Amino acid sequence: MAVMGRTGTKRLSIKKEGFELELERQDNGKIVDSVMEHHDEAMLRHDVSSHRASLALARSQEMLAAPLVSASREVEEAAGVFVTSPMVGTYYSTPSPDDPAFVKVGDRVEKHTVVCIIEAMKVMNEVKAGVSGVVAEILVENGNPVEFGTKLLRIT
């Protein structure tokens, strides 16, 4: 809850293995939560459905017992920071066609690490990570056009 207030997050939704937790912060700063357990209809028709429901309820209670701040931190870390395109142009993951990529998934980067090039009007513009972390995802294919603000990479 503290993280939601500090970051201005209005809504948080976590879904995992049929369990769903939704938190929504109202304008007055209070937190409203709703927990829903989803079951497959075929499961409910079986004689063992009550046993499975009990197990699911126990699992739900265990998950709710974990600190919310920890869950919020995990969601923030999973989301990471997106490196976005500073301009309209063409995305290039390598300095030239024969060279290896600037970065690949799993590479550690620092704030000043060049992660790609955006070509605009025949000018090659280096894009730096802007944060330290690990490249979790590359979201654009080499040679594709990008717009201002296009998410290029996710760094965790």
Side-chain angles (χ1 to χ4, degrees):
M1 290 185 283
V3 172
M4 287 180 74
R6 193 171 56 243
T7 62
T9 303
K10 299 273 188 199
R11 184 179 174 103
L12 173 69
S13 178
I14 300 172
K15 297 178 183 179
K16 183 177 180 182
E17 297 176 10
F19 174 80
E20 180 176 334
L21 171 66
E22 292 182 6
L23 298 174
E24 185 171 337
R25 189 170 61 113
Q26 297 176 347
D27 288 335
N28 62 7
K30 291 183 180 177
I31 302 293
V32 177
D33 65 354
S34 80
V35 179
M36 296 173 282
E37 187 69 33
H38 299 283
H39 295 282
D40 188 67
E41 287 182 31
M43 249 176 46
L44 295 175
R45 283 189 228 121
H46 287 77
D47 294 335
V48 296
S49 65
S50 61
H51 176 68
R52 288 183 180 171
S54 296
L55 290 175
L57 179 60
R59 186 177 61 220
S60 298
Q61 289 171 341
E62 287 174 16
M63 292 177 81
L64 288 174
L68 180 58
V69 173
S70 175
S72 297
R73 190 172 299 126
E74 287 176 16
V75 169
E76 284 179 3
E77 289 173 4
V81 175
F82 290 98
V83 177
T84 59
S85 177
M87 64 192 69
V88 174
T90 303
Y91 169 86
Y92 291 108
S93 60
T94 62
S96 69
D98 297 331
D99 290 334
F102 287 105
V103 294
K104 59 186 179 302
V105 173
D107 284 356
R108 177 123 184 97
V109 295
E110 300 301 323
K111 287 173 31 174
H112 300 291
T113 303
V114 175
V115 294
C116 67
I117 292 175
I118 303 295
E119 178 192 4
M121 300 187 325
K122 304 292 181 198
V123 176
M124 300 297 183
N125 302 281
E126 292 182 340
V127 177
K128 296 181 180 176
V131 296
S132 296
V134 176
V135 177
E137 193 174 9
I138 299 175
L139 304 166
V140 180
E141 300 242 352
N142 192 43
N144 281 358
V146 293
E147 298 288 328
F148 173 80
T150 299
K151 294 177 181 177
L152 306 172
L153 304 124
R154 182 170 57 92
I155 298 175
T156 55

